[in-house]
Amino acid sequence: AAVGILAPGDEQPSLAQRGAAEYSPDDGGMARDEHLFDDFDGVSSAADGFSTQVGSVESVVNNVLTLFRKYKDDLVKSQTLTKKDFEETVVSLEQQLATNRQSLALSEETLATKRGTLVSKTQELADTRESHTTTVAFRKKLQTICDEKAADHQEMTDLRKNEIITLGKAIELLSVAAGDVVAAPQA
């Protein structure tokens, strides 16, 4: 790893580390001193930090995957329950719809029956009103005839009374005149 890049948890590089990073031999090749880096044996390398970091990233990814799986399982379970509730609701609503349709059909039959009854009762009422009108007219005509007959009867009764009175007076006069005739021969 490059010295300029620090792994998380690493400290600032020391002066010796910076010097080693900037060192290059005069001829541009590799350093001839094999022990050039012996001073740095006790210094931790970035590889240790990177392996810690890699382990840390791996555990973060594993945690994210675990959470993702948990949320996915929870969502699947929730959707399954929701789907089951939805299907039960659909079945219930279809049953209610079927029941309501049957009820509607029965209500329509009842309505048709009631309308038929209404038509026949309306006709009966019209017939009854016509009969009542005819009966009232007949009653008025009959009442007029009865009133005329009653007046004629009263007139006839009065005439008969007068005739009886007149006949009674005629009988009386005839009786008196017959009595005079009967009484005259004796005298």
Side-chain angles (χ1 to χ4, degrees):
V3 174
I5 301 174
L6 296 175
D10 285 351
E11 299 176 11
Q12 273 299 62
S14 68
L15 185 57
Q17 288 172 332
R18 276 184 269 151
E22 294 173 3
Y23 174 78
S24 66
D26 292 337
D27 61 356
M30 293 290 291
R32 294 184 186 170
D33 188 8
E34 341 182 317
H35 300 287
L36 179 68
F37 296 108
D38 289 344
D39 292 338
F40 302 108
D41 283 340
V43 177
S44 68
S45 69
D48 293 337
F50 182 72
S51 68
T52 305
Q53 187 178 9
V54 169
S56 169
V57 169
E58 187 177 331
S59 69
V60 168
V61 169
N62 285 337
N63 286 342
V64 168
L65 283 173
T66 302
L67 285 173
F68 175 76
R69 286 184 184 124
K70 180 184 178 293
Y71 288 136
K72 182 187 88 167
D73 291 343
D74 289 347
L75 282 174
V76 168
K77 183 178 179 182
S78 173
Q79 285 181 343
T80 302
L81 292 174
T82 303
K83 182 179 178 183
K84 181 182 176 190
D85 289 345
F86 177 76
E87 289 172 351
E88 289 173 357
T89 302
V90 166
V91 168
S92 174
L93 289 175
E94 286 174 347
Q95 289 173 346
Q96 288 178 2
L97 186 60
T99 301
N100 289 343
R101 284 181 179 156
Q102 289 173 350
S103 177
L104 180 62
L106 183 61
S107 295
E108 287 173 348
E109 287 179 22
T110 303
L111 180 62
T113 302
K114 299 269 182 187
R115 283 183 177 164
T117 302
L118 177 64
V119 167
S120 77
K121 293 293 182 182
T122 302
Q123 185 60 45
E124 286 178 21
L125 178 62
D127 292 346
T128 302
R129 283 184 177 160
E130 183 180 339
S131 175
H132 178 261
T133 302
T134 305
T135 302
V136 167
F138 177 74
R139 185 182 148 269
K140 284 182 181 179
K141 186 176 178 183
L142 186 60
Q143 186 66 41
T144 303
I145 292 172
C146 287
D147 290 343
E148 288 174 2
K149 296 285 182 182
D152 289 348
H153 175 69
Q154 187 61 40
E155 188 179 316
M156 290 299 270
T157 303
D158 291 342
L159 184 64
R160 295 291 172 241
K161 278 185 187 175
N162 289 335
E163 284 178 351
I164 291 173
I165 293 173
T166 305
L167 282 176
K169 286 185 181 178
I171 291 175
E172 194 178 302
L173 285 173
L174 286 177
S175 300
V176 172
D180 284 342
V181 174
V182 172
Q186 287 176 351

